[in-house]
Amino acid sequence: MTALLEAIDLTVSFGDRAGWFRPGQQVQAVRAVSLALQPGEVLAVVGESGSGKTTLARALLGMVPIAGGTVRFDGCDTAAMTAAQTLAMRRVVQMVFQDPFGSLDPRLPVGAIIAEPLDIHRIGTKASRRERVAELLDLVGLSPDAAGRYPHQFSGGQRQRIAFARALAPGPRAIIADEPLSALDVSIQSQMLNLAAALRARLGLAYLIISHDLAAVHHVADRVATMYLGRIVEVASVDALFSTPAHPYTAALLAAVPRIGTGKRVPGDALGGDIPSPLAPPPGCAFHPRCPAATSLCATEAPALRALRAGHDVACHHPLGAA
Amino acid sequence: MTEAAVSVWQLRWRRLARDHVALAALAVLFTLYALCFSASWIEQWFGVTGIDTDLMSRFDPIDAQHWLGSDEAGRDEFTRLLRGGQVSLSIGLFAALGSSFVGTMIGATAGYFRGRIDMVLMRFTDFMLALPALPVLIILAALDLTKLGFSENFVRSGDAGYWRIVLIVTVLGWTTVARLVRAATLSLVEREFVLAARAQGASSWRVLWVHVLPNAVTPIIVATTLRMGGVILTESALSFLGVGIQPPSTSWGSMLTNAQELMASNPLLAVYPGAAILIAVIAINFVGDGLQSAFDPRADPH
């Protein structure tokens, strides 16, 4: 099966040129990442802030320049695509952003916002677009008269539904959602998750969900990739990753999820320290300064992502549960 | 909930209609324009003239025929004020719109495309800003248009002087707007809704036209209204220097210039055009304020 969207050895770096009084700096926000989104699957990318999740999402959409590697859409290298092919890709791969207060143009009424992709891709007539907007508003649980109002007249959850309706408008095959829930209340989060799940079943959508909310990821994802400092350190099915995490970082993330019922926190599980500066990543395995299982090997040699079991890849010299 | 069928412009108009200060200023401005552009009928009505001199009736006092008396050449001051207003108000409008248009195009282009285009356009803007405005104005205003291939007839007509000033003020006046629009564009381009539009495949043209400029409309409107006041004042300065509007035609600026020789004997002749400029500029600024909030959907109280 051809992957819908695939990153191969993808590297994205941000930098500034050297000035008169300071050297130029390069940050590799995404380092040699290979990841594939299959049609119809829900793939979650988890990691701390600064791990490069958002940059990965934007690079997959071609919204940031790629420093190395390739992105393939339906098997075609996106760098080699014509303008028309790129436009066609933008129609079927849609994005939902983290901040529903920033991702909707405050000057446009909601109807125009949702119809914008239809407008851009010249789908339908004016009348059919209006119908489609009403249909989409209904689909995400908003009343049809919302079309005439402005984004600021809606709550955060309602706005995220509007953003979702916009993403659905051109009939996409995949939705890339960048922390779609983090700006929302918990009750609205679950509504959104149920909505996303229902639409997936109905429309056969693939989702790439960027998140740091492991509970939500557990609920919706098929596969999970863990990112640390621009690299993918573990990829597995959601069950395998949650029951037998192989990378110490994944294990630490899972241990940090608050649980109801035990009444007390297990001490010593929380990860110490902060994520290192991507300007000066540690040598060897980028995680070794914070890793409880680090050895001298980890400080010198970066582990490659390799298959631990079928469908379970990990980049660690000393994977958990393997020794 | 009944707003579904209401267009954006209807909403904006409703918001403006709720702003009493702006409405009053708009009424003042409208009255000024209406009065000025019906000057010839008003002259007929009173049987006076604001253009032809009448040396037998110099410095006439205020009476029923001469509402504001007459000036040093016996012209009716009230209708002359209206004649001057035709020139001042229309130059203000055209030159302000012109410089806003040029400034918006240059500023939005620089802010959206950044990099080299931005560098070139902004250095050009700096260059225009660094030009000593007054000497340049004088040189441009003194240029002999016949040498540029315009016909003798056109150059001698009042029109040439009028459009020359509109053009000069436009060419020198767009820099502020360009910088404001560039700054607004730079920050708007970083917003997620612009990223969202681009992720959907929107063209640069569409992003600029649908997302950037409508969100930058507030600084544009404010700058335009401020420019309008500024243009009226620049025109006064040019007329003061003798390179602006030439007699027998007049403007508020040139009336002010005339009056300064008579400050000791007839100070009121300076007060009238001065007050006219003041009222027009203040009314324009209030209208600008009103438009600014009317165009901002977040200013809506519900």
Side-chain angles (χ1 to χ4, degrees):
Chain A
M1 186 161 52
T2 315
L4 186 57
L5 208 54
E6 187 175 18
I8 301 164
D9 250 354
L10 181 69
T11 298
V12 179
S13 52
F14 297 112
D16 47 3
R17 270 180 288 166
W20 283 356
F21 301 112
R22 50 176 185 76
Q25 290 186 316
Q26 286 279 324
V27 180
Q28 288 201 324
V30 174
R31 300 156 177 261
V33 164
S34 296
L35 192 66
L37 178 67
Q38 303 297 339
E41 80 164 338
V42 178
L43 173 62
V45 178
V46 299
E48 280 170 285
S49 307
S51 59
K53 298 167 295 183
T54 296
T55 309
L56 174 64
R58 291 185 180 183
L60 284 172
L61 272 173
M63 303 305 293
V64 290
I66 293 169
T70 49
V71 175
R72 287 193 179 163
F73 167 69
D74 260 347
C76 298
D77 183 355
T78 52
M81 289 200 304
T82 63
Q85 283 173 312
T86 307
L87 199 62
M89 178 185 96
R90 298 219 178 289
R91 176 176 170 176
V92 294
V93 183
Q94 289 287 316
M95 183 140 186
V96 174
F97 292 86
Q98 176 172 12
D99 174 15
F101 291 85
S103 66
L104 306 178
D105 187 337
R107 297 268 165 180
L108 290 180
V110 167
I113 289 173
I114 296 175
E116 183 163 31
L118 304 176
D119 232 1
I120 291 169
H121 298 286
R122 301 203 172 81
I123 303 168
T125 61
K126 230 176 175 175
S128 76
R129 282 175 202 167
R130 201 169 303 140
E131 249 168 63
R132 176 88 177 125
V133 167
E135 194 183 302
L136 287 161
L137 282 171
D138 183 53
L139 197 63
V140 297
L142 291 170
S143 75
D145 60 38
R149 287 188 279 156
Y150 287 88
H152 71 97
Q153 293 168 298
F154 295 89
S155 68
Q158 289 174 317
R159 286 187 194 209
Q160 200 60 303
R161 286 156 188 261
I162 293 165
F164 202 53
R166 169 174 67 183
L168 291 171
R173 289 162 59 198
I175 290 182
I176 297 181
D178 182 5
E179 306 257 13
L181 304 175
S182 65
L184 306 179
D185 293 340
V186 179
S187 61
I188 295 165
Q189 285 187 6
S190 61
Q191 283 179 31
M192 288 294 295
L193 286 173
N194 293 337
L195 176 64
L199 290 171
R200 181 195 176 197
R202 228 168 102 180
L203 307 170
L205 283 170
Y207 289 96
L208 180 73
I209 297 175
I210 312 288
S211 183
H212 55 239
D213 181 353
L214 288 165
V217 164
H218 197 173
H219 187 61
V220 296
D222 299 322
R223 282 196 307 145
V224 183
T226 310
M227 270 186 98
Y228 187 77
L229 218 60
R231 286 183 193 278
I232 290 194
V233 294
E234 185 167 8
V235 188
S237 72
V238 67
D239 293 331
L241 192 115
F242 276 80
S243 60
T244 54
H247 198 283
Y249 178 62
T250 312
L253 279 184
L254 290 174
V257 175
R259 281 179 193 81
I260 297 169
T262 59
K264 59 183 176 209
R265 280 185 85 129
V266 186
D269 277 355
L271 207 53
D274 279 329
I275 195 162
S277 164
L279 277 173
C285 173
F287 186 59
H288 84 263
R290 299 168 80 187
C291 182
T295 60
S296 57
L297 176 66
C298 302
T300 51
E301 201 178 309
L305 194 65
R306 62 198 164 89
L308 190 67
R309 286 180 282 275
H312 194 154
D313 296 352
V314 66
C316 183
H317 292 303
H318 314 288
L320 302 169
Chain B
M1 289 291 163
T2 52
E3 278 176 22
V6 178
S7 83
V8 185
W9 288 100
Q10 279 171 302
L11 275 177
R12 285 174 179 172
W13 170 246
R14 280 186 199 172
R15 284 193 215 107
L16 189 66
R18 255 182 265 137
D19 185 345
H20 298 297
V21 177
L23 274 193
L26 201 62
V28 168
L29 212 54
F30 183 76
T31 313
L32 270 180
Y33 271 91
L35 272 176
C36 289
F37 286 91
S38 48
S40 50
W41 292 304
I42 294 172
E43 281 178 349
Q44 277 175 14
W45 181 264
F46 285 111
V48 296
T49 161
I51 293 174
D52 298 332
T53 54
D54 176 6
L55 295 179
M56 300 307 288
S57 56
R58 297 175 70 209
F59 302 120
D60 270 2
I62 293 172
D63 60 29
Q65 197 186 18
H66 301 293
W67 276 17
L68 300 177
S70 66
D71 68 2
E72 81 282 3
R75 297 169 290 218
D76 177 58
E77 181 71 7
F78 179 62
T79 48
R80 188 158 181 77
L81 206 55
L82 299 185
R83 291 274 178 194
Q86 290 183 356
V87 172
S88 290
L89 289 176
S90 63
I91 281 188
L93 190 66
F94 290 137
L97 289 179
S99 43
S100 288
F101 179 76
V102 175
T104 302
M105 292 300 121
I106 290 181
T109 310
Y112 184 79
F113 292 104
R114 292 188 267 194
R116 207 165 289 258
I117 296 177
D118 182 30
M119 224 267 300
V120 170
L121 287 175
M122 283 302 112
R123 292 302 79 75
F124 179 57
T125 309
D126 289 344
F127 167 76
M128 293 301 286
L129 271 173
L131 282 181
L134 216 46
V136 174
L137 281 173
I138 295 169
I139 291 167
L140 288 178
L143 261 185
D144 185 356
L145 290 181
T146 52
K147 299 261 164 63
L148 296 178
F150 288 97
S151 76
E152 190 87 10
N153 270 340
F154 174 72
V155 173
R156 293 203 181 261
S157 71
D159 281 359
Y162 179 88
W163 288 112
R164 191 210 292 258
I165 290 188
V166 170
L167 201 67
I168 292 172
V169 178
T170 300
V171 165
L172 290 175
W174 55 266
T175 48
T176 335
V177 183
R179 298 188 135 209
L180 281 171
V181 173
R182 172 179 175 267
T185 307
L186 280 176
S187 79
L188 285 168
V189 167
E190 297 296 324
R191 300 273 294 274
E192 273 195 342
F193 63 80
V194 168
L195 195 69
R198 282 176 45 221
Q200 284 158 4
S203 61
S204 297
W205 175 249
R206 186 188 169 87
V207 169
L208 268 175
W209 195 246
V210 176
H211 298 288
V212 173
L213 287 181
N215 279 287
V217 82
T218 303
I220 295 175
I221 286 177
V222 175
T224 308
T225 49
L226 287 177
R227 266 316 291 160
M228 226 170 133
V231 169
I232 292 175
L233 299 175
T234 307
E235 183 275 316
S236 309
L238 282 177
S239 299
F240 179 86
L241 293 164
V243 288
I245 298 301
Q246 303 299 334
S249 181
T250 192
S251 69
W252 288 340
S254 59
M255 289 177 74
L256 209 51
T257 313
N258 265 338
Q260 66 150 6
E261 297 158 20
L262 309 161
M263 273 309 279
S265 54
N266 279 60
L268 279 178
L269 290 183
V271 171
Y272 299 136
I277 293 175
L278 190 73
I279 292 170
V281 173
I282 288 179
I284 288 165
N285 286 347
F286 276 132
V287 172
D289 271 356
L291 287 177
Q292 183 186 342
S293 39
F295 274 47
D296 187 351
R298 284 157 297 190
D300 220 9
H302 60 102

PDB file of all heavy atoms in Angstrom, chain A residues 88-114:
ATOM      1  N   ALA A  88      -3.365  20.301  -5.877  1.00  0.00           N
ATOM      2  CA  ALA A  88      -4.201  19.116  -5.693  1.00  0.00           C
ATOM      3  C   ALA A  88      -3.912  18.462  -4.347  1.00  0.00           C
ATOM      4  O   ALA A  88      -4.822  17.989  -3.655  1.00  0.00           O
ATOM      5  CB  ALA A  88      -3.952  18.125  -6.831  1.00  0.00           C
ATOM      6  N   MET A  89      -2.640  18.461  -3.947  1.00  0.00           N
ATOM      7  CA  MET A  89      -2.285  17.892  -2.648  1.00  0.00           C
ATOM      8  C   MET A  89      -2.883  18.739  -1.524  1.00  0.00           C
ATOM      9  O   MET A  89      -3.412  18.203  -0.547  1.00  0.00           O
ATOM     10  CB  MET A  89      -0.769  17.836  -2.492  1.00  0.00           C
ATOM     11  CG  MET A  89      -0.355  17.296  -1.143  1.00  0.00           C
ATOM     12  SD  MET A  89       1.430  17.350  -0.866  1.00  0.00           S
ATOM     13  CE  MET A  89       1.608  18.861   0.039  1.00  0.00           C
ATOM     14  N   ARG A  90      -2.826  20.057  -1.681  1.00  0.00           N
ATOM     15  CA  ARG A  90      -3.352  20.937  -0.643  1.00  0.00           C
ATOM     16  C   ARG A  90      -4.858  20.761  -0.473  1.00  0.00           C
ATOM     17  O   ARG A  90      -5.413  21.089   0.558  1.00  0.00           O
ATOM     18  CB  ARG A  90      -3.048  22.390  -0.973  1.00  0.00           C
ATOM     19  CG  ARG A  90      -1.579  22.697  -1.053  1.00  0.00           C
ATOM     20  CD  ARG A  90      -1.259  24.050  -0.462  1.00  0.00           C
ATOM     21  NE  ARG A  90       0.158  24.341  -0.499  1.00  0.00           N
ATOM     22  CZ  ARG A  90       1.050  23.738   0.265  1.00  0.00           C
ATOM     23  NH1 ARG A  90       0.655  22.829   1.139  1.00  0.00           N
ATOM     24  NH2 ARG A  90       2.324  24.040   0.174  1.00  0.00           N
ATOM     25  N   ARG A  91      -5.486  20.275  -1.532  1.00  0.00           N
ATOM     26  CA  ARG A  91      -6.916  20.038  -1.413  1.00  0.00           C
ATOM     27  C   ARG A  91      -7.201  18.817  -0.535  1.00  0.00           C
ATOM     28  O   ARG A  91      -8.132  18.837   0.267  1.00  0.00           O
ATOM     29  CB  ARG A  91      -7.528  19.839  -2.800  1.00  0.00           C
ATOM     30  CG  ARG A  91      -8.991  19.487  -2.729  1.00  0.00           C
ATOM     31  CD  ARG A  91      -9.621  19.394  -4.082  1.00  0.00           C
ATOM     32  NE  ARG A  91     -10.948  18.817  -3.948  1.00  0.00           N
ATOM     33  CZ  ARG A  91     -11.788  18.662  -4.945  1.00  0.00           C
ATOM     34  NH1 ARG A  91     -11.446  19.040  -6.153  1.00  0.00           N
ATOM     35  NH2 ARG A  91     -12.974  18.129  -4.741  1.00  0.00           N
ATOM     36  N   VAL A  92      -6.410  17.769  -0.683  1.00  0.00           N
ATOM     37  CA  VAL A  92      -6.751  16.526   0.020  1.00  0.00           C
ATOM     38  C   VAL A  92      -6.008  16.338   1.331  1.00  0.00           C
ATOM     39  O   VAL A  92      -6.322  15.418   2.083  1.00  0.00           O
ATOM     40  CB  VAL A  92      -6.550  15.290  -0.890  1.00  0.00           C
ATOM     41  CG1 VAL A  92      -7.528  15.327  -2.040  1.00  0.00           C
ATOM     42  CG2 VAL A  92      -5.131  15.174  -1.365  1.00  0.00           C
ATOM     43  N   VAL A  93      -5.013  17.185   1.600  1.00  0.00           N
ATOM     44  CA  VAL A  93      -4.380  17.129   2.917  1.00  0.00           C
ATOM     45  C   VAL A  93      -4.653  18.460   3.602  1.00  0.00           C
ATOM     46  O   VAL A  93      -4.158  19.497   3.191  1.00  0.00           O
ATOM     47  CB  VAL A  93      -2.852  16.912   2.820  1.00  0.00           C
ATOM     48  CG1 VAL A  93      -2.258  16.789   4.209  1.00  0.00           C
ATOM     49  CG2 VAL A  93      -2.549  15.686   1.997  1.00  0.00           C
ATOM     50  N   GLN A  94      -5.480  18.448   4.616  1.00  0.00           N
ATOM     51  CA  GLN A  94      -5.877  19.671   5.283  1.00  0.00           C
ATOM     52  C   GLN A  94      -5.240  19.762   6.667  1.00  0.00           C
ATOM     53  O   GLN A  94      -4.785  18.761   7.219  1.00  0.00           O
ATOM     54  CB  GLN A  94      -7.403  19.728   5.420  1.00  0.00           C
ATOM     55  CG  GLN A  94      -8.100  19.947   4.106  1.00  0.00           C
ATOM     56  CD  GLN A  94      -7.923  21.369   3.615  1.00  0.00           C
ATOM     57  OE1 GLN A  94      -8.042  22.326   4.362  1.00  0.00           O
ATOM     58  NE2 GLN A  94      -7.621  21.507   2.336  1.00  0.00           N
ATOM     59  N   MET A  95      -5.209  20.958   7.190  1.00  0.00           N
ATOM     60  CA  MET A  95      -4.566  21.146   8.480  1.00  0.00           C
ATOM     61  C   MET A  95      -5.513  21.828   9.462  1.00  0.00           C
ATOM     62  O   MET A  95      -6.278  22.705   9.098  1.00  0.00           O
ATOM     63  CB  MET A  95      -3.315  22.013   8.280  1.00  0.00           C
ATOM     64  CG  MET A  95      -2.521  22.213   9.537  1.00  0.00           C
ATOM     65  SD  MET A  95      -0.752  22.130   9.212  1.00  0.00           S
ATOM     66  CE  MET A  95      -0.109  22.222  10.878  1.00  0.00           C
ATOM     67  N   VAL A  96      -5.432  21.378  10.721  1.00  0.00           N
ATOM     68  CA  VAL A  96      -6.145  22.046  11.807  1.00  0.00           C
ATOM     69  C   VAL A  96      -5.090  22.522  12.790  1.00  0.00           C
ATOM     70  O   VAL A  96      -4.195  21.765  13.155  1.00  0.00           O
ATOM     71  CB  VAL A  96      -7.147  21.090  12.507  1.00  0.00           C
ATOM     72  CG1 VAL A  96      -7.757  21.758  13.729  1.00  0.00           C
ATOM     73  CG2 VAL A  96      -8.237  20.674  11.540  1.00  0.00           C
ATOM     74  N   PHE A  97      -5.193  23.781  13.192  1.00  0.00           N
ATOM     75  CA  PHE A  97      -4.138  24.364  14.011  1.00  0.00           C
ATOM     76  C   PHE A  97      -4.456  24.299  15.491  1.00  0.00           C
ATOM     77  O   PHE A  97      -5.587  24.059  15.902  1.00  0.00           O
ATOM     78  CB  PHE A  97      -3.904  25.811  13.595  1.00  0.00           C
ATOM     79  CG  PHE A  97      -3.315  25.921  12.224  1.00  0.00           C
ATOM     80  CD1 PHE A  97      -4.129  25.937  11.105  1.00  0.00           C
ATOM     81  CD2 PHE A  97      -1.952  25.972  12.050  1.00  0.00           C
ATOM     82  CE1 PHE A  97      -3.592  26.025   9.842  1.00  0.00           C
ATOM     83  CE2 PHE A  97      -1.407  26.060  10.787  1.00  0.00           C
ATOM     84  CZ  PHE A  97      -2.226  26.088   9.686  1.00  0.00           C
ATOM     85  N   GLN A  98      -3.403  24.561  16.266  1.00  0.00           N
ATOM     86  CA  GLN A  98      -3.507  24.486  17.711  1.00  0.00           C
ATOM     87  C   GLN A  98      -4.435  25.550  18.291  1.00  0.00           C
ATOM     88  O   GLN A  98      -5.273  25.271  19.129  1.00  0.00           O
ATOM     89  CB  GLN A  98      -2.101  24.663  18.288  1.00  0.00           C
ATOM     90  CG  GLN A  98      -2.069  24.700  19.796  1.00  0.00           C
ATOM     91  CD  GLN A  98      -0.632  24.691  20.311  1.00  0.00           C
ATOM     92  OE1 GLN A  98       0.319  24.875  19.557  1.00  0.00           O
ATOM     93  NE2 GLN A  98      -0.490  24.471  21.588  1.00  0.00           N
ATOM     94  N   ASP A  99      -4.274  26.776  17.795  1.00  0.00           N
ATOM     95  CA  ASP A  99      -4.939  27.896  18.442  1.00  0.00           C
ATOM     96  C   ASP A  99      -6.160  28.335  17.643  1.00  0.00           C
ATOM     97  O   ASP A  99      -6.036  28.979  16.613  1.00  0.00           O
ATOM     98  CB  ASP A  99      -3.938  29.050  18.554  1.00  0.00           C
ATOM     99  CG  ASP A  99      -4.596  30.305  19.098  1.00  0.00           C
ATOM    100  OD1 ASP A  99      -5.707  30.195  19.643  1.00  0.00           O
ATOM    101  OD2 ASP A  99      -3.999  31.382  18.963  1.00  0.00           O
ATOM    102  N   PRO A 100      -7.368  27.989  18.111  1.00  0.00           N
ATOM    103  CA  PRO A 100      -8.554  28.342  17.335  1.00  0.00           C
ATOM    104  C   PRO A 100      -8.821  29.843  17.336  1.00  0.00           C
ATOM    105  O   PRO A 100      -9.675  30.317  16.605  1.00  0.00           O
ATOM    106  CB  PRO A 100      -9.673  27.582  18.039  1.00  0.00           C
ATOM    107  CG  PRO A 100      -9.204  27.407  19.425  1.00  0.00           C
ATOM    108  CD  PRO A 100      -7.713  27.333  19.379  1.00  0.00           C
ATOM    109  N   PHE A 101      -8.075  30.597  18.170  1.00  0.00           N
ATOM    110  CA  PHE A 101      -8.253  32.047  18.157  1.00  0.00           C
ATOM    111  C   PHE A 101      -7.365  32.690  17.102  1.00  0.00           C
ATOM    112  O   PHE A 101      -7.577  33.813  16.706  1.00  0.00           O
ATOM    113  CB  PHE A 101      -7.954  32.642  19.537  1.00  0.00           C
ATOM    114  CG  PHE A 101      -8.983  32.247  20.547  1.00  0.00           C
ATOM    115  CD1 PHE A 101      -8.876  31.051  21.235  1.00  0.00           C
ATOM    116  CD2 PHE A 101     -10.079  33.054  20.788  1.00  0.00           C
ATOM    117  CE1 PHE A 101      -9.838  30.675  22.144  1.00  0.00           C
ATOM    118  CE2 PHE A 101     -11.046  32.681  21.692  1.00  0.00           C
ATOM    119  CZ  PHE A 101     -10.933  31.484  22.386  1.00  0.00           C
ATOM    120  N   GLY A 102      -6.335  31.970  16.670  1.00  0.00           N
ATOM    121  CA  GLY A 102      -5.412  32.534  15.690  1.00  0.00           C
ATOM    122  C   GLY A 102      -5.620  32.018  14.284  1.00  0.00           C
ATOM    123  O   GLY A 102      -5.231  32.650  13.319  1.00  0.00           O
ATOM    124  N   SER A 103      -6.269  30.851  14.171  1.00  0.00           N
ATOM    125  CA  SER A 103      -6.288  30.215  12.854  1.00  0.00           C
ATOM    126  C   SER A 103      -7.495  30.624  12.015  1.00  0.00           C
ATOM    127  O   SER A 103      -7.621  30.203  10.880  1.00  0.00           O
ATOM    128  CB  SER A 103      -6.249  28.695  13.001  1.00  0.00           C
ATOM    129  OG  SER A 103      -7.419  28.233  13.613  1.00  0.00           O
ATOM    130  N   LEU A 104      -8.397  31.441  12.595  1.00  0.00           N
ATOM    131  CA  LEU A 104      -9.540  31.926  11.816  1.00  0.00           C
ATOM    132  C   LEU A 104      -9.395  33.427  11.612  1.00  0.00           C
ATOM    133  O   LEU A 104      -9.162  34.175  12.564  1.00  0.00           O
ATOM    134  CB  LEU A 104     -10.854  31.636  12.560  1.00  0.00           C
ATOM    135  CG  LEU A 104     -11.094  30.184  12.980  1.00  0.00           C
ATOM    136  CD1 LEU A 104     -12.402  30.070  13.740  1.00  0.00           C
ATOM    137  CD2 LEU A 104     -11.106  29.261  11.782  1.00  0.00           C
ATOM    138  N   ASP A 105      -9.526  33.865  10.376  1.00  0.00           N
ATOM    139  CA  ASP A 105      -9.388  35.287  10.063  1.00  0.00           C
ATOM    140  C   ASP A 105     -10.509  36.083  10.751  1.00  0.00           C
ATOM    141  O   ASP A 105     -11.683  35.868  10.467  1.00  0.00           O
ATOM    142  CB  ASP A 105      -9.463  35.474   8.540  1.00  0.00           C
ATOM    143  CG  ASP A 105      -9.146  36.899   8.127  1.00  0.00           C
ATOM    144  OD1 ASP A 105      -9.289  37.808   8.965  1.00  0.00           O
ATOM    145  OD2 ASP A 105      -8.755  37.092   6.966  1.00  0.00           O
ATOM    146  N   PRO A 106     -10.139  37.004  11.666  1.00  0.00           N
ATOM    147  CA  PRO A 106     -11.172  37.730  12.414  1.00  0.00           C
ATOM    148  C   PRO A 106     -12.050  38.631  11.543  1.00  0.00           C
ATOM    149  O   PRO A 106     -13.118  39.047  11.973  1.00  0.00           O
ATOM    150  CB  PRO A 106     -10.365  38.566  13.408  1.00  0.00           C
ATOM    151  CG  PRO A 106      -8.992  38.659  12.832  1.00  0.00           C
ATOM    152  CD  PRO A 106      -8.782  37.383  12.075  1.00  0.00           C
ATOM    153  N   ARG A 107     -11.616  38.918  10.321  1.00  0.00           N
ATOM    154  CA  ARG A 107     -12.379  39.834   9.464  1.00  0.00           C
ATOM    155  C   ARG A 107     -13.397  39.118   8.600  1.00  0.00           C
ATOM    156  O   ARG A 107     -14.152  39.759   7.882  1.00  0.00           O
ATOM    157  CB  ARG A 107     -11.442  40.593   8.535  1.00  0.00           C
ATOM    158  CG  ARG A 107     -10.479  41.462   9.244  1.00  0.00           C
ATOM    159  CD  ARG A 107     -11.029  42.853   9.391  1.00  0.00           C
ATOM    160  NE  ARG A 107     -10.245  43.567  10.376  1.00  0.00           N
ATOM    161  CZ  ARG A 107     -10.467  44.813  10.734  1.00  0.00           C
ATOM    162  NH1 ARG A 107     -11.451  45.479  10.212  1.00  0.00           N
ATOM    163  NH2 ARG A 107      -9.710  45.385  11.632  1.00  0.00           N
ATOM    164  N   LEU A 108     -13.357  37.797   8.572  1.00  0.00           N
ATOM    165  CA  LEU A 108     -14.266  37.078   7.677  1.00  0.00           C
ATOM    166  C   LEU A 108     -15.380  36.418   8.471  1.00  0.00           C
ATOM    167  O   LEU A 108     -15.140  35.876   9.549  1.00  0.00           O
ATOM    168  CB  LEU A 108     -13.501  35.995   6.909  1.00  0.00           C
ATOM    169  CG  LEU A 108     -12.514  36.447   5.838  1.00  0.00           C
ATOM    170  CD1 LEU A 108     -11.860  35.244   5.196  1.00  0.00           C
ATOM    171  CD2 LEU A 108     -13.213  37.284   4.795  1.00  0.00           C
ATOM    172  N   PRO A 109     -16.600  36.453   7.933  1.00  0.00           N
ATOM    173  CA  PRO A 109     -17.667  35.687   8.577  1.00  0.00           C
ATOM    174  C   PRO A 109     -17.386  34.188   8.424  1.00  0.00           C
ATOM    175  O   PRO A 109     -16.694  33.764   7.496  1.00  0.00           O
ATOM    176  CB  PRO A 109     -18.927  36.110   7.823  1.00  0.00           C
ATOM    177  CG  PRO A 109     -18.461  36.721   6.562  1.00  0.00           C
ATOM    178  CD  PRO A 109     -17.070  37.212   6.779  1.00  0.00           C
ATOM    179  N   VAL A 110     -17.935  33.427   9.366  1.00  0.00           N
ATOM    180  CA  VAL A 110     -17.640  32.004   9.423  1.00  0.00           C
ATOM    181  C   VAL A 110     -17.949  31.286   8.107  1.00  0.00           C
ATOM    182  O   VAL A 110     -17.195  30.414   7.668  1.00  0.00           O
ATOM    183  CB  VAL A 110     -18.429  31.386  10.610  1.00  0.00           C
ATOM    184  CG1 VAL A 110     -18.431  29.875  10.531  1.00  0.00           C
ATOM    185  CG2 VAL A 110     -17.820  31.872  11.911  1.00  0.00           C
ATOM    186  N   GLY A 111     -19.041  31.702   7.457  1.00  0.00           N
ATOM    187  CA  GLY A 111     -19.398  31.075   6.183  1.00  0.00           C
ATOM    188  C   GLY A 111     -18.279  31.207   5.160  1.00  0.00           C
ATOM    189  O   GLY A 111     -17.946  30.255   4.448  1.00  0.00           O
ATOM    190  N   ALA A 112     -17.670  32.401   5.111  1.00  0.00           N
ATOM    191  CA  ALA A 112     -16.578  32.631   4.154  1.00  0.00           C
ATOM    192  C   ALA A 112     -15.338  31.848   4.548  1.00  0.00           C
ATOM    193  O   ALA A 112     -14.595  31.369   3.685  1.00  0.00           O
ATOM    194  CB  ALA A 112     -16.257  34.124   4.075  1.00  0.00           C
ATOM    195  N   ILE A 113     -15.125  31.698   5.852  1.00  0.00           N
ATOM    196  CA  ILE A 113     -13.954  30.950   6.320  1.00  0.00           C
ATOM    197  C   ILE A 113     -14.069  29.488   5.893  1.00  0.00           C
ATOM    198  O   ILE A 113     -13.125  28.899   5.368  1.00  0.00           O
ATOM    199  CB  ILE A 113     -13.828  31.052   7.855  1.00  0.00           C
ATOM    200  CG1 ILE A 113     -13.411  32.465   8.247  1.00  0.00           C
ATOM    201  CG2 ILE A 113     -12.832  30.031   8.384  1.00  0.00           C
ATOM    202  CD1 ILE A 113     -13.409  32.721   9.721  1.00  0.00           C
ATOM    203  N   ILE A 114     -15.254  28.905   6.120  1.00  0.00           N
ATOM    204  CA  ILE A 114     -15.424  27.492   5.795  1.00  0.00           C
ATOM    205  C   ILE A 114     -15.413  27.286   4.276  1.00  0.00           C
ATOM    206  O   ILE A 114     -14.931  26.274   3.772  1.00  0.00           O
ATOM    207  CB  ILE A 114     -16.729  26.949   6.421  1.00  0.00           C
ATOM    208  CG1 ILE A 114     -16.624  27.020   7.940  1.00  0.00           C
ATOM    209  CG2 ILE A 114     -17.001  25.523   5.982  1.00  0.00           C
ATOM    210  CD1 ILE A 114     -17.877  26.619   8.663  1.00  0.00           C
TER     211      ILE A 114
END
